[in-house]
Amino acid sequence: MARGTLRVFLGAAPGVGKTYDMLADGRRRAALGGDVVIGFMEDHGREPTRRMAEGLETVPRRELTHRGVTFTEMDLDAVLARRPEVALVDELAHTNVPGSRHEKRWQDIGELLDAGIHVVSTLNIQHLESLNETVEHITGVTQRETVPDEVVRRADQIELVDLSAQALRRRMEYGDIYPPRKVQEALTHYFREGNLTALRELALLWVADRVEEALQRYRGEQGIRAPWATRERVLVALSGGPEGMTLIRRGHRIAARGAGGEFLALHVRRGDGLAEAPSAELERQRALTERLGGAFELVTADDVAAAVLEFARGANATQIVIGASRRGRMRSLVAGKGVGTSIVEGSGEYIDVYVVTHEEAAHGRL
């Protein structure tokens, strides 16, 4: 039996329209002849959402009592018995009432997928486990319900439901999200424009990274070696010398010129037994790279230039930053072509190479 597929509508904050879009997707599928049911849907009193659910079959919920209070949850067994082609299941990160078969709704969804049922679900960015502390720092609100990032990354489709901070606040003011008595408090706390803008940026960046993963996978499957410049990705090649701090800062500045740019630093350890650079210097360079938001990598190879170029192509780098040679002209004539020259000659037409001067450079000395 083929496993079902998972589609997730992801939003930056409550009220952007995830549940509405999930239901609209279900209606489109049903109109095309698909067998679609609502496994669980929460309209939060929003009339447009309630109207969008009309006409779709709903599997009755299961009632559970916890500490004397009755709750309703998705009836997992009933959905499995109904065996639809597609189940709409709201709120992926929801924690089930004690007594349910699974602690979390994403675990219920996993069982539906294993049964060959396609699932469409919803999620807010603040419920991703990796972003939990970041969101708390931005909003001051602790999110108790989280879902492991890997669960969402494994989704077959992730669709961002995007709305500007200003448009979302207007929706709040019109009473389309919360009842009137809660609107002013929400606007002055969680739904402040700065909060919403930061959450939106988190959502956009997280989705962009997932798209990048798919692109890298496609390039690997198709054997594409030439970089595709979907964003500026700068690779700083470090020899291990003191000039590395200058190169890292320059690489970071280049990457920061464009939105979504990123940079990596790479040091190639020689595999031929030649003297290695002092580890203390490399550790300082690693610390600076990570402090500036970059990734530091170490590889071992006999041919340093070839290793840098191979890594750059694999990382889809658009630019390589190297230091100007520390060798004088006479030494270069005796020793032959240097690493920097080999990188420049081997970079091809798709990777730009920046040669950065520094205090240790030869500057024309013999």
Side-chain angles (χ1 to χ4, degrees):
M1 178 193 306
R3 180 178 168 84
T5 59
L6 174 62
R7 185 179 193 189
V8 176
F9 285 96
L10 177 69
V16 296
K18 302 176 305 299
T19 302
Y20 185 94
D21 283 2
M22 177 191 74
L23 294 167
D25 182 72
R27 289 179 69 135
R28 284 192 296 270
R29 293 171 185 253
L32 293 171
D35 181 18
V36 181
V37 303
I38 297 174
F40 185 94
M41 185 275 292
E42 194 64 69
D43 61 33
H44 297 289
R46 298 164 191 164
E47 187 59 31
T49 303
R50 185 182 296 114
R51 287 198 303 269
M52 186 57 70
E54 292 175 358
L56 289 171
E57 178 186 345
T58 299
V59 176
R61 299 186 187 186
R62 178 188 179 198
E63 290 190 351
L64 296 111
T65 300
H66 178 62
R67 295 180 178 176
V69 180
T70 299
F71 299 89
T72 61
E73 293 284 9
M74 178 175 72
D75 192 332
L76 178 58
D77 288 324
V79 178
L80 288 168
R82 170 62 179 76
R83 198 169 186 79
E85 180 186 353
V86 180
L88 310 180
V89 184
D90 213 0
E91 299 180 355
L92 184 67
H94 172 76
T95 300
N96 291 327
V97 174
S100 303
R101 179 147 75 243
H102 300 296
E103 179 187 359
K104 305 290 288 188
R105 184 163 293 154
W106 60 263
Q107 295 170 313
D108 293 338
I109 288 173
E111 193 166 337
L112 295 176
L113 296 173
D114 288 340
I117 298 170
H118 305 302
V119 176
V120 184
S121 190
T122 64
L123 181 72
N124 279 329
I125 195 72
Q126 65 262 31
H127 296 297
L128 283 166
E129 207 165 72
S130 67
L131 299 178
N132 189 250
E133 291 183 2
T134 302
V135 171
E136 182 178 356
H137 179 71
I138 292 168
T139 65
V141 177
T142 302
Q143 301 294 333
R144 303 295 182 188
E145 296 183 317
T146 61
V147 58
D149 288 48
E150 185 57 32
V151 172
V152 188
R153 276 200 293 265
R154 287 200 303 265
D156 300 273
Q157 290 180 301
I158 301 173
E159 183 167 332
L160 181 66
V161 183
D162 188 31
L163 198 65
S164 71
Q166 296 84 357
L168 186 55
R169 282 174 59 85
R170 283 197 301 272
R171 186 175 285 183
M172 174 69 76
E173 290 168 351
Y174 295 154
D176 293 339
I177 301 176
Y178 290 160
R181 68 180 185 280
K182 294 185 176 181
V183 169
Q184 197 53 47
E185 181 182 359
L187 288 172
T188 55
H189 292 87
Y190 195 92
F191 281 77
R192 291 199 304 269
E193 187 171 330
N195 285 1
L196 297 176
T197 300
L199 292 173
R200 185 186 184 205
E201 183 174 3
L202 279 178
L204 290 166
L205 290 172
W206 195 90
V207 172
D209 285 341
R210 303 291 72 74
V211 173
E212 179 68 24
E213 288 178 2
L215 176 63
Q216 295 288 56
R217 191 163 54 247
Y218 176 81
R219 291 177 68 242
E221 292 169 353
Q222 301 299 317
I224 298 170
R225 292 176 56 79
W228 285 2
T230 53
R231 70 169 85 177
E232 290 297 344
R233 184 172 284 106
V234 180
L235 175 64
V236 180
L238 301 172
S239 70
E243 75 279 1
M245 305 294 272
T246 299
L247 302 188
I248 291 167
R249 292 188 179 96
R250 178 63 61 84
H252 175 254
R253 287 201 301 273
I254 293 171
R257 288 173 187 165
E262 62 178 273
F263 82 105
L264 308 93
L266 173 70
H267 174 68
V268 181
R269 289 193 177 107
R270 290 187 178 273
D272 55 11
L274 296 179
E276 178 57 279
S279 60
E281 186 67 55
L282 280 175
E283 283 307 309
R284 282 194 292 272
Q285 293 171 16
R286 178 198 295 274
L288 177 60
T289 300
E290 294 174 350
R291 199 158 60 244
L292 294 175
F296 187 94
E297 303 287 346
L298 286 171
V299 299
T300 301
D302 295 331
D303 188 331
V304 175
V308 170
L309 290 168
E310 181 69 20
F311 187 93
R313 295 187 184 102
N316 202 23
T318 56
Q319 303 177 52
I320 300 175
V321 174
I322 62 174
S325 176
R326 287 179 287 175
R327 303 191 307 179
R329 284 177 294 177
M330 290 299 297
R331 186 179 170 194
S332 296
L333 288 172
V334 173
K337 192 186 325 182
V339 170
T341 301
S342 298
I343 290 174
V344 172
E345 292 179 354
S347 61
E349 60 179 308
Y350 298 107
I351 303 177
D352 296 329
V353 180
Y354 287 81
V355 182
V356 178
T357 189
H358 52 86
E359 291 182 357
E360 304 295 321
H363 296 303
R365 295 193 302 270
L366 295 176

